[in-house]
Amino acid sequence: MGDTLRSSESAEDSLLVVIVNYGLSNHIGRLLEEGVFGDCRVMLVDNASEPERLRDLAARFATQLLLLDRNYGFAGAVNRAVGRAGGCKQILLLNPDVSISRAQLQVLRTVLVEEQLTAASPILLNVDGKVQVGTAGGPLTWSAFGTYFLFVSHVFGRARGSFYTRRQLVSGMVPSWLCMACLLLDGDAFRRFGPIPEDEVVYGEDLAWGYRASRSGARFRVVTHVQVVHEQGAAGASDRSVDALVRLVRRVNGRLGGSVAVACIRLGLAIRRLPRWLVTGQRL
C-alpha cells in the first residue's frame, strides 16, 4: 500500500492518539509543540498529502508514522491506523485543527473510565466561541431528522432530533452519536462495534458508526464542562456534506422514510439560508 509504520511500543499502552492529516501539518506541529500528550503514544497518519512534512514531524517529536499511498478519507485512515497499532486502553481521535489542553484530555479520560463509557466528546466550539451543532445528535430516523430540521427541537428542548441544538448540547442530553473531530474511545470500541464505515464522508461516518454502535449497546456522553475549539468545524454546511447526509438518510430509513427525511432536510436548509439569500442574493 505504500505506507510505512514505525512501532516499538507495548501493546498495553494506555492511550493511543490518532491524528489524521490532509494538508494541515502546520496545525499538527502546533499540537505536538504544546506537549499536550506527554508520554502518550501518538500516531500521525497522512492521507497522501504531505508525506515529507509528516516524516519531519514524526522524527522531531518521536511519534509513530503511517504514510498512506492515497487519500482513504478520515474513516479509512483511522481504520488502518488502529488496525496496525495493536492494543491500547483508550483511543483519542483528534483532528489537527482542534485545540485541547492536557488538563482537558485528562478530564475526558477520567470520565470515560468512571462512567464506563464507550466514547466521550467535549463540547466543540467555533473560533467565535459558539457551540458547534455537529458535536452530537440523536437517532437517524426520518422523524428525528424532521424534528431537527423543521425546528421542533429548537422549540421543545426535550425533543431529540438527529442533530442536537446548542441548548441541548450544553444540557448534557444523552447522544446516539458523537463527532469524531475530538473523540475519546474505549480501546475495545472498534472491535466491539466494528470499524468506521468508509463509504461515508464528512459527517456521514460520525453518524453512521455512532448510531450503529449506540443501537448495539454503546454508551456515549458529551462532557459539557470540557470545551475545545474546532477551527474548521463548518463542514456540515457544505454541499458535499449535505449530499453525504442525504445518502446516509436514505440508506438508514429506506425509500419512503428516506424521502420524507430528505424533504425535511432540504426544506429546513432552505429556511435557514433564506435570510442570507434575501441579503446577498446567493442561492438557497
Side-chain angles (χ1 to χ4, degrees):
M1 187 171 61
D3 55 71
T4 61
L5 179 64
R6 188 182 70 220
S7 177
S8 59
E9 290 79 3
S10 164
E12 295 301 319
D13 286 326
S14 62
L15 177 64
L16 170 68
V17 181
V18 178
I19 304 175
V20 177
N21 178 62
Y22 190 78
L24 291 175
S25 61
N26 288 338
H27 290 270
I28 294 177
R30 181 205 66 204
L31 273 173
L32 297 176
E33 286 174 353
E34 290 173 350
V36 172
F37 311 116
D39 295 329
C40 297
R41 185 177 169 198
V42 178
M43 181 183 290
L44 306 182
V45 188
D46 186 59
N47 261 324
S49 67
E50 301 174 294
E52 293 305 320
R53 174 63 174 150
L54 267 288
R55 282 195 183 96
D56 291 342
L57 289 172
R60 179 181 173 191
F61 294 99
T63 73
Q64 288 184 263
L65 176 64
L66 178 58
L67 300 178
L68 300 176
D69 62 318
R70 62 180 177 84
N71 184 3
Y72 288 87
F74 176 81
V78 170
N79 290 339
R80 285 160 178 78
V82 172
R84 286 162 173 72
C88 55
K89 294 179 181 178
Q90 297 176 345
I91 301 170
L92 176 67
L93 306 183
L94 190 67
N95 279 15
D97 57 351
V98 171
S99 299
I100 186 170
S101 70
R102 183 179 294 196
Q104 289 174 321
L105 177 56
Q106 186 55 51
V107 171
L108 292 178
R109 299 187 67 185
T110 300
V111 170
L112 190 79
V113 173
E114 290 184 349
E115 300 188 16
Q116 298 181 321
L117 301 171
T118 304
S121 167
I123 290 281
L124 300 177
L125 304 177
N126 296 316
V127 291
D128 61 4
K130 291 183 179 179
V131 174
Q132 288 181 17
V133 171
T135 296
L140 304 188
T141 59
W142 66 267
S143 57
F145 278 100
T147 295
Y148 174 73
F149 281 96
L150 298 184
F151 303 97
V152 175
S153 56
H154 295 71
V155 177
F156 302 100
R158 294 187 179 183
R160 296 178 72 222
S162 52
F163 292 83
Y164 285 170
T165 66
R166 292 181 173 90
R167 182 174 59 180
Q168 289 174 330
L169 285 169
V170 299
S171 76
M173 180 176 282
V174 176
S176 297
W177 60 269
L178 296 168
C179 178
M180 291 182 170
C182 182
L183 185 63
L184 182 68
L185 301 113
D186 178 79
D188 208 30
F190 292 128
R191 185 193 66 79
R192 291 181 61 198
F193 302 108
I196 306 172
E198 296 185 21
D199 56 347
E200 310 290 351
V201 295
V202 197
Y203 276 138
E205 66 267 79
D206 306 63
L207 276 70
W209 185 86
Y211 187 53
R212 181 184 70 197
S214 63
R215 293 181 71 189
S216 298
R219 298 180 64 241
F220 300 143
R221 181 186 162 188
V222 177
V223 183
T224 57
H225 56 287
V226 179
Q227 302 188 353
V228 304
V229 174
H230 182 201
E231 292 186 24
Q232 298 179 346
S238 69
D239 289 340
R240 186 178 178 218
S241 67
V242 172
D243 291 342
L245 183 60
V246 165
R247 289 194 299 272
L248 176 61
V249 165
R250 286 177 170 152
R251 187 177 299 121
V252 171
N253 291 277
R255 184 173 182 179
L256 179 58
S259 296
V260 173
V262 169
C264 293
I265 292 171
R266 298 293 189 195
L267 177 59
L269 290 176
I271 294 172
R272 287 166 170 80
R273 293 169 179 171
L274 183 60
R276 183 182 66 183
W277 178 77
L278 291 173
V279 172
T280 67
Q282 295 182 17
R283 69 181 180 87
L284 295 178

